[in-house]
Amino acid sequence: MLYDIFIDPFVQMVEMPDFFLQVLWEGFVAGILYALIALGFVLIFKASGVFNFAQGIMVVFAGLTLVGLHENGVPAFLALILTIGVMGVLAYGIERVVMRPLVNQPDIILLMATIGLTYFLIGFGEFVFGGEPKRMIAEELGLPTGSTAFEMGERGLVILQHIDIAAAVIAIIMVTALGIFFNKTRIGRALRAVADDHQAALSVGISLNQIWAIVWFAAGLVALATGIMWGARSDVSFALEIVAFKALPVLILGGFTSIPGAIIGGLIIGFGEKIGEIYWGGLVGGGIESWLAYIIALIFLLFRPQGLFGEKIIERV
């Protein structure tokens, strides 16, 4: 038993390096997409200090809007532009109807508001688009199909799906661009000021309402990109909301306010899930990919509750 746990998995990695690299690639792609999902949560948390329970359904809603417009005869790229506009309208509506009346309210009130928003979007989405899974219009948007195989001499080959490569590249570009935007621009500095203290930000002339609208719109763009990438790898359905909550262990690892933390946390979860499922999953009957991320997050909570890049908060009592 000890051999199966501590030795045999590493023997398999050495004996079949091609398969191990394949597992690492799958983990990398999943980790980058988890990081992209987590980024939406980070943006909202930095601006309002509350966990956005609605980010998962925003991923689904954006994907369904894009597919729904195309099914009704709108060309793919025009449908993409219109979906961006829909997410902008949604962000403006959330700021005006949900967030603005709750300025300076306790965090639990804001959390409950995002839960209410979640169920509103679920009901509205099912009413407009129906509850059946839909095919993402990946080819119509110019996303690549097929695969490329890399031979490793006599040790086998590694197969890379083109859609996975595109997903990884797009996710990296978006994460990098948003990181630069929120760390190097005036709006980014205003965002950090709002995150630190709403009242102090208001006192120096920062428009809290404007910042919240911008951040929710950015989170909507992230949700759209996530919906496209995840939908292209499977389909677009309300089940994607469950996948989006894999961002929670990513946030616990990286910290709720750190963009680099979202990236590192996503990669840790992605690699950990795939390696754990392939090399250790059989020891417990398989299926550990669905819960291993939460076990990893629990271990981090025990030793570093603020995450790898989160700020340690000390309160005087």
Side-chain angles (χ1 to χ4, degrees), residues 9-10 12-27 152 155 157-158 271 274-275 278-280:
F10 299 101
Q12 294 182 46
M13 295 176 192
V14 174
E15 291 181 345
M16 296 184 290
D18 58 320
F19 183 66
F20 180 55
L21 287 176
Q22 187 75 54
V23 173
L24 288 180
W25 168 250
E26 295 291 335
M152 298 183 60
R155 306 303 296 272
L157 51 83
V158 177
F271 286 133
K274 298 300 181 182
I275 293 174
I278 296 299
Y279 294 103
W280 282 273

Side-chain angles (χ1 to χ4, degrees), residues 239-258:
L240 278 180
E241 184 185 4
I242 305 301
V243 176
F245 280 111
K246 280 291 184 72
L248 182 56
V250 172
L251 294 169
I252 292 173
L253 265 64
F256 278 78
T257 60
S258 173

Side-chain angles (χ1 to χ4, degrees), residues 153-170:
E154 298 180 354
R155 306 303 296 272
L157 51 83
V158 177
I159 300 174
L160 306 183
Q161 298 293 329
H162 293 166
I163 187 63
D164 288 345
I165 298 174
V169 171
I170 291 172

Side-chain angles (χ1 to χ4, degrees), residues 54-168:
Q55 187 67 25
I57 192 59
M58 286 173 64
V59 171
V60 177
F61 188 80
L64 288 175
T65 301
L66 175 61
V67 174
L69 287 171
H70 185 67
E71 288 180 345
N72 284 279
V74 180
F77 285 100
L78 179 57
L80 179 62
I81 294 172
L82 291 176
T83 303
I84 293 173
V86 169
M87 300 312 291
V89 172
L90 179 63
Y92 179 77
I94 290 171
E95 187 278 319
R96 289 298 299 265
V97 178
V98 180
M99 304 303 292
R100 183 176 294 189
L102 299 179
V103 173
N104 295 322
Q105 294 297 314
D107 291 344
I108 186 62
I109 301 298
L110 293 172
L111 174 62
M112 294 302 296
T114 66
I115 293 175
L117 177 63
T118 297
Y119 286 101
F120 168 77
L121 290 177
I122 290 174
F124 185 69
E126 290 181 342
F127 173 75
V128 175
F129 305 110
E132 303 80 13
K134 299 181 183 296
R135 183 189 68 86
M136 175 50 66
I137 53 173
E139 294 184 33
E140 292 85 344
L141 291 172
L143 295 176
T145 57
S147 61
T148 299
F150 294 93
E151 295 186 4
M152 298 183 60
E154 298 180 354
R155 306 303 296 272
L157 51 83
V158 177
I159 300 174
L160 306 183
Q161 298 293 329
H162 293 166
I163 187 63
D164 288 345
I165 298 174

